[in-house]
Amino acid sequence: MSETNENLNSQKLKCEFSNLMSNGKWLFVKGDYENAIKGFTAALSLKPDDRTCLVGRSKCYLKIGQLGNALKDAEASLNDDKSFFEGLYQKAEALYYQGEFEFALMFYDRGQKIRPQIQGFRLGIQKAQEALENSIGSPSSVQLEIKQDVLHKYDEANLAKEKKHPTKKISKNEKMTKELLGEFYRDKKFLEDLMKDKGRTRRGEQLQDIIQSCLKSLDTCTEFWNQEKPISQERNRQHIQQKCRASSEPAQFLLRSFDDIDAELTSGNAEGSVKKAEEVMKIVQRWSEKEVPNKKELLGNLHSCIGNALFDLGDMDKALEHHQKDLDLAKQCKLPEAKSRALDNMGRTYAQIGQFEQAIEFWEMKISLVCGGFEKTWLLHEIGCCYMELNRYKEARDYGVLAAAAAGEIGDGKWLMNANVLVAQSELKLGNFKSSVSYFEEALIHARFQDDDSAMNAIKKAIDEVKQHLR
């Protein structure tokens, strides 16, 4: 009985949170920012760490000029996931309007690397660069502070110690430095470029002194990670070498080869990627299972690589052949991740050539193997779109509803918009005009929340057309 009551209370809280969140979003769209803040704050009292809600309130604070609160909420939305693109964008916006154009530019840039298709990051980079060009060199216009989230891996006590006892900078291979610093490498290069500027900050400090302090901390990180990184790299090598018992040569060869195959495809040389993968496959096929116990798994990976490259080349028939071989090997070896990969590629290829029934067949087999929320949302949405293409509107609607629920779980506004559009289109085809308008309006809220002008215009046009049927 108590368990039932707990479940009921849990469902009640979820419903209350959802209502408060939706109310906050709607008030934001209407321009009632202060009441929207109250709505988001009430929602956060139920789920204090909800990142979408924090971004929503941050946007409201930005609109009414409370820049400190806007930045605080944006940073809080990134606590659990530094790659949360909505939080990165909102943090960049808050920094930009505080006049901290250098750091705003860094976060616009990071966001664009994660979601290059989002126009807001590109425009943010452009406006931050323009602001820098107009302000750098002016004694009172540039303010740089060492942000904790930029240098969060550095211990401040070490910096103080280093200032008292300067040490000679250790020379490092640039490629290794880039690998060790990861996302911070671009920040390091950005700061090095900024060193050329001769301006001062508002506090009268030399800009170069502040930047040099940032660079010192990044160098310290590099030196520390240089000691730590080989350990993890050695573990990866051991994992492959355990499968290649006879010697380390096969392991080293495979590590290099897969890197080369991927690099060719990433650089746009699909033909080169196919050629390299086929060469490696011939070598692996000659190896015995004593030398390489996971031989079938490796061959599956190679078939997948070749299939993806052939997809880019437009040779869909051959791409399907290789993805099918990858799937067969994954089933033989009972490898769920490889099976999921092969099913994904089969579905994608069939959808590309307009064979939607086959795409649905393979994608539906993949559903139970999906782990991540984003992948699940994308998959459900794509299956729904295939059903739309087949004029099977009820199934399209059902998958659209599932996709919206999955997008809601991960707080992805873009996919909430896409999923609601899919449901709205399905309802329109089914003749449920009122329901169609309702889902389009829900999609419009998310489009406005994303500041997606093209989506807003398209959805508004669709709403007007549907409403004509209701007159």
Side-chain angles (χ1 to χ4, degrees):
M1 187 70 178
S2 61
E3 186 177 341
T4 304
N5 288 334
E6 284 179 11
N7 290 335
L8 287 171
N9 288 334
S10 176
Q11 290 297 324
K12 185 179 178 182
L13 284 173
K14 283 183 181 179
C15 184
E16 187 179 353
F17 173 80
S18 180
N19 289 336
L20 289 168
M21 177 87 146
S22 296
N23 188 49
K25 286 184 176 181
W26 179 242
L27 289 167
F28 174 85
V29 170
K30 288 172 64 179
D32 189 353
Y33 304 120
E34 291 189 357
N35 282 322
I37 289 170
K38 292 177 183 177
F40 285 124
T41 302
L44 286 165
S45 68
L46 301 177
K47 289 180 68 176
D49 299 324
D50 187 87
R51 61 186 190 177
T52 305
C53 204
L54 285 164
V55 167
R57 191 170 68 176
S58 175
K59 288 183 177 184
C60 295
Y61 280 133
L62 202 58
K63 290 288 187 181
I64 63 173
Q66 292 188 23
L67 305 181
N69 285 332
L71 181 60
K72 183 179 177 182
D73 275 353
E75 289 179 331
S77 76
L78 294 165
N79 282 344
D80 295 330
D81 182 6
K82 298 295 182 187
S83 64
F84 177 44
F85 72 96
E86 291 184 34
L88 284 172
Y89 179 77
Q90 194 56 29
K91 181 170 183 175
E93 286 283 277
L95 288 166
Y96 175 84
Y97 286 106
Q98 284 187 346
E100 299 189 28
F101 308 124
E102 299 85 357
F103 284 101
L105 181 57
M106 286 183 189
F107 286 98
Y108 285 130
D109 183 62
R110 286 190 195 174
Q112 191 186 44
K113 285 190 291 181
I114 295 167
R115 288 293 178 88
Q117 71 273 27
I118 294 178
Q119 190 180 24
F121 287 123
R122 182 180 61 78
L123 295 174
I125 289 171
Q126 183 180 336
K127 69 182 183 183
Q129 286 175 335
E130 289 175 356
L132 276 170
E133 287 172 7
N134 293 331
S135 63
I136 285 183
S138 169
S140 62
S141 61
V142 180
Q143 182 182 11
L144 270 175
E145 295 175 4
I146 302 173
K147 290 291 177 182
Q148 184 179 357
D149 49 10
V150 175
L151 306 171
H152 69 280
K153 289 183 180 283
Y154 178 70
D155 183 54
E156 290 181 1
N158 289 339
L159 178 59
K161 184 179 178 181
E162 189 174 320
K163 283 182 178 178
K164 290 181 182 178
H165 307 286
T167 57
K168 188 176 179 180
K169 186 177 178 181
I170 299 171
S171 61
K172 294 176 276 298
N173 178 277
E174 192 68 10
K175 186 176 180 182
M176 178 61 75
T177 302
K178 184 175 182 180
E179 182 182 349
L180 293 172
L181 284 177
E183 64 176 337
F184 297 105
Y185 179 77
R186 292 170 72 104
D187 297 343
K188 182 176 185 290
K189 298 303 292 181
F190 171 78
L191 291 168
E192 285 174 345
D193 290 339
L194 225 84
M195 279 284 289
K196 299 171 185 176
D197 179 65
K198 301 298 181 184
R200 294 175 178 268
T201 65
R202 277 195 289 254
R203 298 184 181 120
E205 299 170 277
Q206 285 290 341
L207 182 62
Q208 289 93 331
D209 292 340
I210 296 177
I211 297 171
Q212 188 61 49
S213 180
C214 294
L215 290 171
K216 269 188 179 181
S217 65
L218 288 171
D219 286 337
T220 303
C221 293
T222 306
E223 290 161 21
F224 172 73
W225 292 330
N226 193 32
Q227 298 170 2
E228 296 292 316
K229 192 80 171 182
I231 297 171
S232 61
Q233 288 175 339
E234 187 59 31
R235 284 175 186 162
N236 291 334
R237 290 192 188 98
Q238 287 173 1
H239 175 72
I240 295 176
Q241 288 168 358
Q242 283 170 0
K243 307 247 179 163
C244 310
R245 293 172 191 164
S247 80
S248 65
E249 289 182 13
Q252 298 299 327
F253 169 76
L254 290 168
L255 285 169
R256 289 194 304 269
S257 296
F258 277 110
D259 283 345
D260 292 343
I261 291 165
D262 187 52
E264 292 284 4
L265 187 60
T266 304
S267 66
N269 185 12
E271 289 181 355
S273 182
V274 170
K275 185 179 178 181
K276 179 66 178 176
E278 288 176 341
E279 289 172 358
V280 176
M281 184 175 285
K282 287 177 183 177
I283 295 169
V284 173
Q285 285 170 336
R286 291 198 297 266
W287 288 344
S288 68
E289 295 207 1
K290 275 190 175 181
E291 291 175 298
V292 188
N294 63 331
K295 180 177 176 178
K296 289 181 179 179
E297 181 182 350
L298 293 170
L299 289 172
N301 281 326
L302 289 165
H303 280 298
S304 179
C305 292
I306 295 171
N308 288 332
L310 290 168
F311 180 95
D312 285 2
L313 291 169
D315 194 341
M316 301 303 173
D317 290 337
K318 285 187 178 179
L320 285 169
E321 287 178 18
H322 284 281
H323 289 315
Q324 183 63 59
K325 288 176 182 177
D326 180 26
L327 180 59
D328 293 340
L329 289 166
K331 288 178 178 177
Q332 286 178 33
C333 301
K334 296 181 180 179
L335 300 168
E337 287 184 11
K339 183 180 177 182
S340 177
R341 173 190 68 210
L343 290 170
D344 185 19
N345 288 327
M346 293 286 285
R348 187 167 59 95
T349 308
Y350 275 121
Q352 182 69 19
I353 59 178
Q355 296 186 24
F356 300 111
E357 288 184 356
Q358 290 89 335
I360 289 169
E361 179 186 349
F362 285 100
W363 274 340
E364 286 186 335
M365 284 191 284
K366 177 182 167 69
I367 292 174
S368 62
L369 300 171
V370 172
C371 297
F374 180 81
E375 186 181 12
K376 182 180 178 182
T377 303
W378 173 85
L379 183 61
L380 294 169
H381 180 269
E382 292 303 295
I383 294 172
C385 289
C386 286
Y387 276 120
M388 277 291 290
E389 293 288 344
L390 294 170
N391 300 327
R392 293 171 61 176
Y393 304 122
K394 287 183 180 179
E395 290 93 338
R397 177 190 61 194
D398 293 344
Y399 271 103
V401 170
L402 290 171
E409 288 175 6
I410 60 173
D412 194 310
K414 197 80 171 179
W415 280 102
L416 275 166
M417 178 187 72
N418 293 336
N420 276 288
V421 167
L422 175 59
V423 178
Q425 290 172 328
S426 304
E427 291 286 51
L428 175 60
K429 292 292 186 180
L430 291 167
N432 302 326
F433 301 124
K434 287 185 179 179
S435 178
S436 177
V437 169
S438 176
Y439 279 105
F440 272 131
E441 287 177 342
E442 180 70 18
L444 183 60
I445 290 174
H446 293 297
R448 284 174 173 159
F449 209 62
Q450 297 293 317
D451 294 325
D452 191 332
D453 292 333
S454 60
M456 281 190 279
N457 292 333
I459 294 169
K460 285 176 183 177
K461 186 177 178 181
I463 291 172
D464 291 340
E465 289 177 359
V466 178
K467 284 183 175 178
Q468 288 179 2
H469 291 282
L470 293 170
R471 289 171 187 163

